[in-house]
Amino acid sequence: MVINPNALGLDLPPGTMRVQPSLWYADEPAAPGTWARLLPARQAAGMQPVLLTETQHFRVNRVGDPDDHDPAAVLAGLWRELAEDEEDAGIIAPFSTAWPGLAPPGEGDTDPDDTAARTTAELAGGDDWLKGARGALVPARRSADIPAVLGWGGAVHHTDAVRLSAVLRSWEDRFGLRVVGLGHDILTVSVAAPPRTMADALAVAAEHYAFCPDNVWDGYDTLRAYAAEEVLDRPDWTFWWD
């Protein structure tokens, strides 16, 4: 049963519960402090905060359980499909068509929720793609499960939301990730413990490439260049699928 957070006396902005899929959705665009304001609903109602640009791109018939998927196997399968294309051979260097395996955990002692609060404050305050996004609460066991619970279809031409959530769970464990923003085909996460060395960032970049190849294709000739710009020491990662 989903608890209506409006009935718990929490300090929430005006909003309403929706069905198919179930979520609470604010009536007005998010302010810089909205994500932090929604966070108490996690403990009180078992609902995870996130910023959403719309609610029309969810597919309730595609909802699944990330428990059914191993993140390493998901990434390995996606990597093999991409690496077999000769046009990608130069991009994935120094790696080969063989899946290089999961990257080591990141480093940092920052609380993941503190990082998420800071990240969303910056995004809600000026990020173009999240402009007008509203705060939402999703009944999920953990932040990484938000896309799977919603049946999010933003990456449907690459893979489905439940497999993405399986990988996001692994990133949550290794890098202190929180899913903080979802758009039509864009996903942003905060990262409390990102890779601090180029070698580790390159290993994470390989995971990003399998997870969302459009990130690399759109502006980078090599994983090394992508890793240096988009992964190393970054407190947030954004992915988009064409």
Side-chain angles (χ1 to χ4, degrees):
M1 181 180 70
V2 177
I3 300 172
N4 188 335
N6 289 322
L8 296 176
L10 300 173
D11 178 27
L12 302 178
T16 56
M17 283 295 298
R18 301 191 177 193
V19 296
Q20 304 254 333
S22 295
L23 75 154
W24 177 93
Y25 193 55
D27 294 338
E28 300 293 336
T34 294
W35 191 93
R37 187 176 175 184
L38 298 180
L39 184 58
R42 177 192 295 161
Q43 183 172 355
M47 302 183 80
Q48 304 287 340
V50 67
L51 303 184
L52 301 178
T53 63
E54 56 182 277
T55 59
Q56 289 79 31
H57 52 278
F58 303 138
R59 307 178 182 209
V60 295
N61 62 327
R62 295 188 179 220
V63 171
D65 189 346
D67 281 341
D68 295 334
H69 302 277
D70 175 71
V74 169
L75 289 170
L78 294 171
W79 176 272
R80 282 193 298 270
E81 292 176 12
L82 294 165
E84 288 173 357
D85 190 329
E86 291 184 4
E87 293 183 3
D88 291 332
I91 293 177
I92 65 174
F95 304 111
S96 69
T97 56
W99 166 238
L102 296 180
E107 299 178 15
D109 54 8
T110 306
D111 181 85
D113 292 332
D114 290 343
T115 302
R118 286 195 302 272
T119 299
T120 52
E122 293 173 3
L123 293 176
D127 189 271
D128 288 341
W129 86 260
L130 270 178
K131 200 163 196 174
R134 301 186 194 182
L137 291 167
V138 180
R141 282 180 287 172
R142 49 197 293 182
S143 181
D145 291 357
I146 290 173
V149 169
L150 293 177
W152 183 66
V156 68
H157 297 300
H158 180 58
T159 191
D160 54 30
V162 66
R163 288 178 173 83
L164 293 181
S165 281
V167 175
L168 291 168
R169 280 184 174 187
S170 180
W171 290 351
E172 189 175 301
D173 294 338
R174 286 182 287 145
F175 307 112
L177 170 149
R178 295 289 185 267
V179 174
V180 296
L182 278 178
H184 174 70
D185 55 4
I186 297 180
L187 181 154
T188 291
V189 301
S190 60
V191 188
R196 305 294 186 184
T197 68
M198 190 59 199
D200 288 348
L202 188 57
V204 173
E207 295 190 34
H208 283 203
Y209 182 62
F211 185 83
C212 178
D214 295 280
N215 260 34
V216 181
W217 291 337
D218 184 39
Y220 295 96
D221 294 326
T222 65
L223 281 183
R224 188 175 298 278
Y226 172 83
E229 185 73 20
E230 304 289 349
V231 181
L232 183 65
D233 284 325
R234 286 278 308 223
D236 60 275
W237 299 334
T238 294
F239 305 92
W240 76 276
W241 291 262
D242 193 358

